[in-house]
Amino acid sequence: MLPALSLVAVQDGCAARLSGGTAARVANGNAQPAAFVGFSWEHSCLDLFTLLTMPQISLQKEEGKSNRPCFPGRSMGSRAAASVIRQLSQDDDDDFIQGLICLSYPLHRPKLQSKLRDEDLLFITCPVLFVSGSADEMCEKQLLEGVASKMKAPKKIHWVGKANHGMAVKGRTTEDVMEEINAQVFSWLRENIELEHE
């Protein structure tokens, strides 16, 4: 089990603060309400997520808390998290956020690869992990790799072979796919995030 880590988990625009021990549940998108610590909400609007999250993070910064947060998000949740991190990075203290984990980042709409949702990613400077399916209809492989090559931030991309946007892979169980995802997430956390030992 990982030491204490401040995570703000975002799935499809919903968010909850989690302890490090529940990061695996975040990765598979099945975090249970009992694992949520602090706050949660059901709205999927990016602006609402930003409105509610920014005061929480700003308060942490003002109080000088040592457990700087990391933002994991799934699908539109990862886009919302990227938006918040970009806004925070405009401050002088742009290293307060330790990292961003994007599970199934929705880089574009299905069959609409000409309009990329990369505007926030290009301004982020904290470490970023992308975990996407190689058959994701909302994140074409070459396009994400192209965006990643332009990013200022340290980044890593892990492709789950033949997985779609929902991380379903024909011939593999959900548990098997989630074990692969969790292994990548925890390995990246250990390499990139400063953990607070209790």
Side-chain angles (χ1 to χ4, degrees), residues 128-139:
V128 180
L129 171 66
F130 294 97
V131 179
S132 290
S134 64
D136 188 341
E137 64 278 11
M138 298 181 70
C139 188

Side-chain angles (χ1 to χ4, degrees), residues 140-161:
E140 201 274 322
K141 189 173 181 181
Q142 289 184 335
L143 292 178
L144 180 60
E145 290 175 346
V147 169
S149 69
K150 300 175 187 175
M151 290 174 62
K152 304 173 185 177
K155 63 274 180 185
K156 177 182 177 181
I157 304 176
H158 177 75
W159 294 103
V160 178

